Amino acid sequence: MQELINRLKELIADGTVVRAIGWKKGDMPYNPEPAYFEKPEDFDNFVYDGFCGANLSKMMIEAAKLEGKTAVCLKPCDTYSFNQLIREHRVNRENAYIIGVGCRGKLDIEKARKAGIKGIKSISGVDIEGDGDVTFDTVYGQKKMAYTDLMLDRCHVCKGKDHVIFDEVIGESKDTGDADRFEEVIKIEKMTPEERFAFFKSELSKCIRCNACRNVCPACSCRKCVFDGVKFDSQQKANVDSFEEKMFHIIRAFHVAGRCTDCGECSRVCPEGIPLHLFNRKFIKDIDDFYGEFQAGKDPEAQSPLTDFTFDDLEPKDAVGRGE
Amino acid sequence: MSMNEEKKEFRPLIVAFCCNWCSYAGADLAGSSRLSYPADVKIIRVPCSGRVNPMFILRAFERGADGVIICGCHPGDCHYSTGNYYARRRMALLFSMLEYMGIENGRTRVEWCSAAEGAKFSKTMNEFCEKVKSLGENVRLGDIRCKN
Ligand code: SF4
Ligand code: SF4
Ligand code: SF4
Ligand code: FES
């Protein structure tokens, strides 16, 4: 982490960049926040550890419009989102100095809570250079958890530790992928329609329409979002009918279909723990099956599958009933 | 007594988004050739099948449709060259998602139908109505507030 801070300070001092975007300490040890850094003393609060799951690429939409270059710290998965933003002309590459930061998996505090760890005072073993278990110092004494057991689900299906776009890379990464990302989708596909309907109904009924999943999503960068429009009464605060839950989730996922890099931010930020990735990955899986494998953000020149076609594409009637 | 019996028979409400240049004209031809299609089919004219936003389909279901069909020009014949090719991809993904969420297959359909195919239009609508009728009322994608 010190190496990263030193390098960012250096880049600002020598005028390469005017400011940096990174993470600063939050009010608890497990919730660092995205932040701008300009003056040397700003860096006193800089942090980059296992809890820095936040994808900073979306902040570059704003930052790339400012005067002068901005240094931005991007994890390997975040670089896919950045590429996608370039593809959609939402960021100006020239105004970004990308520091690819190493990653050994990011952590999910909910997993500690589920394991019964409460009253956390401080946490150690989450440093980016570290190795070994995570230790929680709580008001009820010391608790330990294996780093991998605490990892976000998305890190178990990591796309790989190569930065797809960067100016320089700082820090080592460690491979964390140990699961198949379509496993859960396939499991649902195998259920009966009644089971599937009941499953989604119970998950989606938890939604409080806070819009956090949309707001955090690097692919959701429309200046005017359909969910803010009064015209379609689609901006309700709370869902008063189960139709709205379905509508919101289908449309949200549909709007990012072919553009979603599977960065996992939507599922990470949902305060209700709704597995939003199940929608995105269903679209990704279908796109792979119907139109050939596609990874959004891998190549900023590649045409998104939904703005493309071939003359002999699959007919919609053949897209359903495949499991029957 | 007879009134009650009449009420019991389920008549599906079908919304058909028809492209102005082909299927809408096809529907016209079906009419002028005196070919029948169920009166429960409500046609909404769109400039092109590519105009159909997934939200239109969901809204139709919300407001009480039991089935939604999108009709456009045959691939290669779209009057805006490529609108139906994009629509084909979008609808394939949307229908698959609806199935994934447990909505019955068969409530949605895409059919390519030209202005000369009045007979095909009438046949398609009759078939689709039968299919939706066999599935029964749309409960899973409806909105109770829109029921009267
Ligand atoms: S973040 Fe979760 S609760 Fe909030 S709108 Fe999205 S799905 Fe609903
Ligand atoms: S939909 Fe979710 S996983 Fe996909 S790009 Fe947006 S935040 Fe990332
Ligand atoms: S939900 Fe749709 S309209 Fe809203 S920001 Fe995302 S992509 Fe844009
Ligand atoms: S004009 Fe008929 S589908 Fe495009």
Coordinates of all heavy atoms in Angstrom, one line a residue, chain B residues 19-22 47-50 72-73 77-80 83-84 112, ligand 4:
Chain B
C19 N -45.9 -4.1 -36.9 CA -45.1 -3.2 -37.7 C -46.0 -2.6 -38.7 O -46.8 -3.3 -39.4 CB -43.9 -3.9 -38.3 SG -43.3 -3.1 -39.8
N20 N -46.0 -1.3 -38.8 CA -46.8 -0.5 -39.8 C -46.7 -1.0 -41.2 O -47.7 -1.1 -41.9 CB -46.4 0.9 -39.7 CG -47.2 1.8 -40.6 OD1 -48.4 1.7 -40.7 ND2 -46.5 2.7 -41.2
W21 N -45.5 -1.4 -41.6 CA -45.3 -1.7 -43.1 C -45.7 -3.1 -43.5 O -45.9 -3.3 -44.7 CB -43.8 -1.4 -43.4 CG -43.5 0.0 -43.0 CD1 -42.7 0.3 -42.0 CD2 -43.9 1.2 -43.6 NE1 -42.6 1.7 -41.8 CE2 -43.3 2.2 -42.8 CE3 -44.8 1.5 -44.6 CZ2 -43.6 3.6 -43.1 CZ3 -45.0 2.8 -44.9 CH2 -44.4 3.8 -44.2
C22 N -45.7 -4.0 -42.6 CA -46.0 -5.4 -43.0 C -47.2 -5.9 -42.3 O -48.3 -6.0 -42.9 CB -44.8 -6.3 -42.7 SG -43.3 -5.8 -43.5
P47 N -43.9 1.6 -35.7 CA -43.3 1.9 -37.0 C -42.4 0.7 -37.5 O -42.2 0.6 -38.7 CB -42.4 3.1 -36.7 CG -42.3 3.3 -35.2 CD -43.5 2.6 -34.6
C48 N -42.0 -0.1 -36.5 CA -41.0 -1.2 -36.9 C -41.0 -2.1 -35.7 O -41.1 -1.6 -34.6 CB -39.7 -0.6 -37.2 SG -38.3 -1.7 -37.5
S49 N -40.7 -3.4 -35.9 CA -40.6 -4.3 -34.8 C -39.4 -3.8 -33.9 O -39.4 -4.1 -32.7 CB -40.4 -5.7 -35.2 OG -39.2 -5.8 -36.0
G50 N -38.5 -3.1 -34.5 CA -37.3 -2.6 -33.7 C -37.7 -1.6 -32.7 O -37.0 -1.2 -31.8
G72 N -43.5 -8.5 -37.2 CA -42.7 -7.6 -38.0 C -42.5 -8.1 -39.4 O -43.0 -9.2 -39.7
C73 N -41.8 -7.4 -40.2 CA -41.5 -7.8 -41.6 C -40.6 -9.0 -41.5 O -39.8 -9.2 -40.6 CB -40.8 -6.7 -42.3 SG -41.6 -5.1 -42.2
D77 N -36.6 -7.9 -45.0 CA -37.6 -7.0 -45.5 C -37.9 -5.8 -44.7 O -38.8 -5.1 -45.0 CB -38.9 -7.8 -45.8 CG -38.8 -8.8 -46.9 OD1 -37.8 -8.7 -47.7 OD2 -39.6 -9.7 -47.0
C78 N -37.2 -5.6 -43.6 CA -37.5 -4.5 -42.7 C -37.4 -3.2 -43.5 O -36.4 -3.0 -44.2 CB -36.6 -4.5 -41.5 SG -36.7 -3.0 -40.5
H79 N -38.4 -2.3 -43.4 CA -38.4 -1.1 -44.1 C -37.3 -0.1 -43.6 O -37.1 0.9 -44.3 CB -39.8 -0.5 -44.2 CG -40.7 -1.3 -45.1 ND1 -40.8 -2.6 -44.9 CD2 -41.5 -0.9 -46.1 CE1 -41.7 -3.1 -45.8 NE2 -42.1 -2.1 -46.5
Y80 N -36.8 -0.4 -42.5 CA -35.6 0.4 -42.0 C -34.4 -0.5 -42.0 O -33.5 -0.3 -41.2 CB -35.9 0.9 -40.6 CG -37.2 1.7 -40.5 CD1 -38.4 1.1 -40.1 CD2 -37.2 3.0 -41.0 CE1 -39.6 1.8 -40.1 CE2 -38.4 3.7 -40.9 CZ -39.6 3.1 -40.5 OH -40.8 3.8 -40.5
G83 N -34.1 -3.2 -38.5 CA -34.8 -3.1 -37.2 C -35.2 -4.5 -36.7 O -35.1 -4.7 -35.5
N84 N -35.7 -5.3 -37.6 CA -36.2 -6.6 -37.1 C -35.0 -7.5 -36.6 O -35.2 -8.4 -35.8 CB -37.1 -7.3 -38.1 CG -36.5 -7.4 -39.5 OD1 -35.4 -7.0 -39.7 ND2 -37.3 -7.8 -40.4
W112 N -43.0 -13.3 -38.0 CA -42.8 -12.4 -39.2 C -43.9 -12.6 -40.2 O -44.2 -13.7 -40.6 CB -41.4 -12.8 -39.9 CG -40.3 -12.9 -38.9 CD1 -39.5 -14.0 -38.7 CD2 -39.8 -11.9 -38.0 NE1 -38.6 -13.8 -37.7 CE2 -38.7 -12.5 -37.3 CE3 -40.1 -10.6 -37.7 CZ2 -38.0 -11.8 -36.3 CZ3 -39.4 -9.9 -36.7 CH2 -38.3 -10.5 -36.0
Ligands
FES4 S1 -40.2 -2.0 -40.8 FE1 -41.3 -3.9 -40.4 S2 -40.0 -4.8 -38.9 FE2 -38.8 -3.0 -39.4

